[in-house]
Amino acid sequence: MADTTLMANAIRALAMDAVQQANSGHPGAPMGMADIAVALWNRHLRHNPANPQWFDRDRFVLSNGHGSMLIYALLHLTGYPLPIEELKGFRTLHSKTPGHPEVGITPGVETTTGPLGQGITNAVGFALAEKLLAEEFNRPGYDIVNHHTYVFMGDGCLMEGISHEACALAGAWKLNKLIALYDDNGISIDGEVAPWFIDDTPKRFEAYGWNVIGPVDGHDVDAVDQAIAKAKLSTDRPSLIVCKTIIGKGAPTRAGTAKAHGEALGAEEIRGTREALGWPHEPFLVPAEAYEAWDGKTRGGATEQAWNATFEGYRAEHPELAAEFERRMKGELPKQFAQVAVDTAVGAHAKAETVASRKASQLALEAFTAELPELLGGSADLTGSNLTNTKSTPALRFDADGKGNGGRHINYGVREFGMAAIMNGVALHGGYIPYGGTFLTFSDYSRNAIRMAALMKLRVIHVFTHDSIGLGEDGPTHQSIEHAASLRLIPGLDVWRPADTAETAVAWACAIENRQRPSALLLSRQNLPYAPKAGLEDISKGAYVLAEPAEVGLKKKAQAVLIATGSEVQLALHAQAELAKDGIAVRVVSMPSTNVFDRQAVAYKRAVLPEGLPRVAVEAGVTDFWWKYRVDAVVGIDTFGESAPAGVLFKHFGFTAQNVADTVRVVLKKA
């Protein structure tokens, strides 16, 4: 039997040494959770350090990501390609051990954590994806999808509101392979949490429909081991294991205090800790017997090899399913998708329908969901408004035994933030491309999860409808003003605000095809006329010349450029026609995605927006954003809206063809 004390103390020593060397970090959680980590990682976790991306591995999420040295120590000790030099470089530039775990940076890290509550919510997405894939692909004798999702989390994760959203859904979905281990140490940055965190956590999770185990002694490896084994027997409920621990365990004066949470222990305290733990080794020196006890490569290799043999048998009996499974897990689209995307856009172009862009979105989704079984949709209790459901995506439901009905549209309830972070987990797991809808104004609730998707480069699609004052009578609480501009500021997020059915179809195709970026589609409630166009090929470049002066009968070069997005494209076209009556020639540029346009070659950008021509931007949102394009004027809105019918509001706030035309006239006089 391995020396569990030696194993746990190796984690404690590496954590305190790395934080001390960096002179920043959080030693308390790794030192307090070391014994829990021994129980899970040494006795239960199915993983292969030699192949961190092996599909049927268990997923491990460190939701309290500030304790990152815990996972770095575990990855190093079990044999992942994370040498001791990287631990010595903790929190330094370009190291593989950043301050909080980042997926894609450190082999073995499944998700980027740090904003508390999002890790457990990502884990709900992992577990949901596992459950749905198992029901879709497993066959008698071949459980090719059969793994658990484990989460470490602390008081901070449970205080964040998103944990309520996500954990309630986990219970509703009966995610029995989700096991969360709660580090119940009663300490946060500000001290003992008792004055401000009085939740009865076990009863709270029982109310969610979870299987609650404990409290157990979090420093008793055998007790935690037995609790995990019990949790794995659950067939219809996720499990919460409450582990009572001492933060910073082993530190002679700081254990059990807030001083252990988020700062280096200091040389004197570390000397005392070494004595208390019986750890005589120099900093970053781990004895051979500890490495031997922790090594996970042999067992992990055998586990993966057994799964590979099972999968080969599955491939022999179910070749089409096996090929589809491999395609899905690689994140590749079927070969016919490119043509489907073209046909969908061309079909929208040919019909020239006058519909709201939210309806245009649903029309495009009808085609895409029929061809892509990996599209997993949903809405935050606004399905009838967001129109994210299609004929191919019935509502997802689970029976009393936890078995799903094969549905592909999720009713998330009024949980925008939870929905966004769950979608991140689904995308990270693989096998599905998640999308979810709410009103654009409520993107504020989702924002940090959207930002995390961009940071992690995830293919997640947000459908944001009711994108402006055009939603009308619901008034300023629901009318987006700053939201389009604000979302465009998130690095790595593609924001689309399409003007008609064709632009919407192209936006959807681009979002689905982009494997390295999340996308946000901003869609109207009100109907938008189709904008006639010569072709569709340039829509995917983010902006294109929609109409030259010749379109309104002027045989002369443009004297100015009107740039518009979404519903305001029609205003620009009407203003172009109005100006033509006075012989003023204007080019109209539709810019459905500023982010995508900004990535185009300089030559293309100059062709669309020629140097030297006056420019006027038109968008029913804040004006500040548009000055980056060196515009001379913006027809926008820098106040909150009003409650009234959409047509009344557009006129009230100056969104009329006449006002746009007059703005161009003023600009030309000044030029």
Side-chain angles (χ1 to χ4, degrees):
M1 179 70 70
D3 184 342
T4 58
T5 300
L6 174 70
M7 297 172 73
N9 286 343
I11 293 173
R12 293 186 174 103
L14 287 172
M16 69 180 182
D17 289 342
V19 172
Q20 182 68 21
Q21 178 146 311
N23 197 29
S24 72
H26 302 75
M31 296 175 73
M33 299 190 77
D35 303 295
I36 302 172
V38 173
L40 174 61
W41 279 65
N42 188 247
R43 300 186 182 179
H44 293 277
L45 194 72
R46 295 171 69 251
H47 65 120
N48 183 7
N51 182 11
Q53 296 303 310
W54 165 49
F55 165 71
D56 206 36
R57 67 193 182 279
D58 289 336
R59 269 57 168 185
F60 173 75
V61 176
L62 184 68
S63 190
N64 46 342
H66 55 268
S68 56
M69 268 310 303
L70 175 60
I71 192 170
Y72 298 151
L74 287 165
L75 294 171
H76 168 72
L77 291 167
T78 54
Y80 283 78
L82 191 69
I84 196 69
E85 288 74 22
E86 292 292 347
L87 275 63
K88 292 178 181 178
F90 179 55
R91 288 185 162 229
T92 60
L93 186 64
H94 302 317
S95 76
K96 292 184 179 180
T97 51
H100 291 82
E102 295 185 41
V103 69
I105 300 295
T106 314
V109 169
E110 300 283 3
T111 180
T112 300
T113 55
L116 294 177
Q118 289 198 57
I120 175 63
T121 310
N122 295 162
V124 172
F126 279 119
L128 177 64
E130 190 275 343
K131 181 168 188 164
L132 297 180
L133 282 171
E135 293 185 348
E136 185 175 353
F137 286 99
N138 287 353
R139 293 295 182 271
Y142 297 103
D143 288 341
I144 62 167
V145 183
N146 186 16
H147 52 269
H148 285 81
T149 300
Y150 295 98
V151 187
F152 283 1
M153 62 183 183
D155 293 310
C157 289
L158 295 180
M159 283 187 262
E160 285 285 359
I162 190 175
S163 70
H164 294 259
E165 298 182 23
C167 294
L169 283 169
W173 295 336
K174 304 180 186 300
L175 301 180
N176 62 295
K177 289 186 179 176
L178 173 63
I179 300 175
L181 294 101
Y182 165 35
D183 179 31
D184 185 8
N185 61 37
I187 297 292
S188 69
I189 293 175
D190 283 353
E192 294 185 11
V193 301
W196 58 82
F197 185 47
I198 63 170
D199 298 21
D200 187 330
T201 298
K203 287 185 179 178
R204 169 185 159 188
F205 276 77
E206 287 173 0
Y208 292 151
W210 285 53
N211 171 40
V212 178
I213 301 172
V216 301
D217 181 352
H219 301 302
D220 184 335
V221 172
D222 291 334
V224 178
D225 171 24
Q226 292 167 17
I228 296 171
K230 183 178 179 181
K232 289 164 71 174
L233 298 176
S234 175
T235 59
D236 62 350
R237 290 181 294 171
S239 294
L240 175 75
I241 303 174
V242 181
C243 302
K244 290 288 187 179
T245 65
I246 300 171
I247 191 171
K249 181 174 173 58
T253 69
R254 294 195 174 189
T257 73
K259 293 289 285 184
H261 175 89
E263 60 184 74
L265 296 180
E268 184 176 345
E269 186 78 358
I270 284 179
R271 279 194 297 271
T273 305
R274 279 187 154 76
E275 291 179 12
L277 297 178
W279 189 267
H281 311 288
E282 295 294 317
F284 298 104
L285 180 61
V286 178
E289 56 266 34
Y291 279 120
E292 184 178 350
W294 269 115
D295 182 46
K297 293 192 292 294
T298 301
R299 184 175 63 186
T303 304
E304 181 181 356
Q305 189 174 13
W307 182 85
N308 288 339
T310 298
F311 189 77
E312 288 308 311
Y314 179 81
R315 189 198 306 277
E317 289 197 30
H318 308 285
E320 292 184 2
L321 274 176
E324 175 70 359
F325 177 78
E326 290 182 310
R327 177 190 73 78
R328 296 262 296 270
M329 292 312 302
K330 289 177 182 176
E332 297 175 350
L333 297 175
K335 293 179 180 179
Q336 73 270 20
F337 178 76
Q339 188 58 49
V340 171
V342 170
D343 292 345
T344 302
V346 169
H349 175 58
K351 289 181 181 178
E353 293 175 286
T354 295
V355 295
S357 54
R358 61 171 176 164
K359 180 61 179 179
S361 169
Q362 187 180 46
L363 294 172
L365 270 176
E366 287 286 359
F368 294 143
T369 55
E371 292 293 330
L372 297 177
E374 60 263 47
L375 279 176
L376 183 65
S379 176
D381 204 47
L382 289 166
T383 300
S385 294
N386 301 148
L387 304 183
T388 47
N389 57 326
T390 69
K391 295 175 183 176
S392 302
T393 56
L396 177 64
R397 295 289 183 268
F398 296 97
D399 63 20
D401 296 323
K403 182 175 176 56
N405 65 344
R408 287 165 52 203
H409 188 272
I410 301 169
N411 298 103
Y412 285 97
V414 188
R415 301 183 179 97
E416 295 87 356
F417 194 6
M419 175 178 70
I422 287 171
M423 289 197 296
N424 288 350
V426 169
L428 284 161
H429 181 278
Y432 293 101
I433 300 173
Y435 65 93
T438 187
F439 288 177
L440 177 56
T441 310
F442 304 145
S443 64
D444 286 339
Y445 287 137
S446 313
R447 186 179 179 86
N448 200 262
I450 299 170
R451 181 179 188 271
M452 295 297 289
L455 179 61
M456 292 188 278
K457 302 179 180 179
L458 302 181
R459 179 163 47 181
V460 173
I461 304 170
H462 291 271
V463 180
F464 293 126
T465 65
H466 298 59
D467 68 340
S468 72
I469 58 172
L471 70 86
E473 292 86 343
D474 276 344
T477 60
H478 286 50
Q479 291 166 1
S480 297
I481 300 297
E482 75 280 17
H483 298 80
S486 178
L487 288 171
R488 290 167 181 150
L489 295 177
I490 298 177
L493 174 68
D494 281 352
V495 179
W496 292 85
R497 189 167 184 251
D500 59 18
T501 51
E503 287 190 4
T504 305
V506 172
W508 260 110
C510 290
I512 292 169
E513 290 170 337
N514 199 330
R515 298 175 61 173
Q516 294 295 312
R517 289 172 176 267
S519 299
L521 278 62
L522 317 187
L523 308 170
S524 73
R525 175 181 184 260
Q526 74 275 22
N527 286 346
L528 305 180
Y530 185 82
K533 49 186 66 70
L536 306 176
E537 60 276 1
D538 287 336
I539 297 175
S540 62
K541 295 177 181 177
Y544 64 101
V545 178
L546 175 62
E548 292 282 27
E551 304 296 328
V552 287
L554 293 181
K555 297 181 179 180
K556 57 194 295 190
K557 291 184 178 180
Q559 299 165 258
V561 178
L562 276 170
I563 309 168
T565 77
S567 52
E568 288 68 71
V569 168
Q570 284 299 319
L571 280 183
L573 290 172
H574 289 310
Q576 181 195 42
E578 183 70 24
L579 290 163
K581 295 175 183 177
D582 296 334
I584 300 173
V586 172
R587 167 185 285 187
V588 175
V589 169
S590 179
M591 192 177 284
S593 178
T594 64
N595 310 92
V596 174
F597 178 67
D598 289 348
R599 296 199 299 273
Q600 301 306 313
V602 172
Y604 179 77
K605 289 191 284 189
R606 287 180 176 171
V608 174
L609 300 177
E611 297 286 337
L613 282 184
R615 303 170 184 177
V616 175
V618 189
E619 185 174 59
V622 292
T623 60
D624 279 355
F625 171 83
W626 287 100
W627 302 109
K628 65 182 282 189
Y629 294 108
R630 291 180 289 160
V631 296
D632 298 271
V634 184
V635 178
I637 177 171
D638 290 313
T639 67
F640 292 116
E642 298 277 357
S643 178
V648 173
L649 290 175
F650 277 119
K651 184 176 181 180
H652 174 73
F653 286 105
F655 291 98
T656 64
Q658 187 62 52
N659 186 44
V660 174
D662 288 344
T663 303
V664 173
R665 290 187 178 98
V666 171
V667 166
L668 288 174
K669 285 181 181 179
K670 292 181 178 179

